[in-house]
Amino acid sequence: MSAQQRSQLMSKIRGKNTKPELFVRRLLHAAGYRFRLQGSIPRSTLENILKEHPDAHLPGGKLPGRPDIVFSARHQVVFVNGCFWHLHDCPDGQHAPQTNAEFWEAKRTATRGRDQRTIVALRELGWESMVLWECELGDPKVVLDRLTGFLGPTDGSTVAV
């Protein structure tokens, strides 16, 4: 694949509302969980964070790293990470492009470092994080069990998957 072809292919990949993210959101919503997207938090939650942590840097009033799914009342977030982009330890995450290999290695390594810093920043603000990897989303029941184990019971009724 030429560099131009690779560039065109990679430019079509979205950063939000990906298929894995939509899959997880559908599971959560069907189970009765309600959430916000892309790091958004209510103004009152933002004000409380800034009172407790006046040095916190929250650009645009959003949480660090703009988590995919935010449970503001619980102070919990879920990241749905693509294995390739976030350099997961699975075979998909370890497969590196042959073209412009140094560039992709640096880019993916930087993403992994940024992910780690984001989780630390959220923890310092009093938020818990969970990372779901694209390769782990095969069985909806297993995914929902992991999510409910992390989040706890819903406030409303639950629906079986």
Side-chain angles (χ1 to χ4, degrees), residues 30-137:
Y33 291 97
R34 298 302 176 255
F35 46 84
R36 291 175 176 261
L37 303 176
Q38 313 306 329
S40 296
I41 52 176
R43 180 176 296 246
S44 60
T45 303
L46 175 63
E47 290 169 355
N48 288 339
I49 290 173
L50 292 175
K51 281 180 191 174
E52 293 176 24
H53 307 277
D55 58 336
H57 181 63
L58 304 173
K62 296 191 177 212
L63 291 172
R66 295 191 179 207
D68 299 312
I69 304 169
V70 178
F71 301 88
S72 56
R74 300 167 185 261
H75 286 107
Q76 293 176 306
V77 298
V78 175
F79 291 93
V80 183
N81 287 350
C83 296
F84 172 80
W85 294 102
H86 295 266
L87 202 58
H88 189 222
D89 295 332
C90 73
D92 288 340
Q94 295 303 306
H95 177 76
Q98 300 288 323
T99 307
N100 207 1
E102 289 178 13
F103 167 80
W104 287 109
E105 179 65 25
K107 183 174 183 67
R108 294 167 69 210
T109 302
T111 300
R112 178 182 261 182
R114 186 173 57 247
D115 291 345
Q116 292 169 348
R117 289 189 305 274
T118 295
I119 289 173
V120 169
L122 286 165
R123 189 179 310 125
E124 289 172 355
L125 294 175
W127 289 69
E128 291 181 87
S129 303
M130 177 182 193
V131 176
L132 287 175
W133 292 97
E134 184 179 14
C135 66
E136 299 172 336
L137 302 180

Side-chain angles (χ1 to χ4, degrees), residues 134-152:
E134 184 179 14
C135 66
E136 299 172 336
L137 302 180
D139 185 350
K141 180 161 179 21
V142 171
V143 174
L144 187 58
D145 286 347
R146 282 195 58 210
L147 287 163
T148 55
F150 172 67
L151 297 168

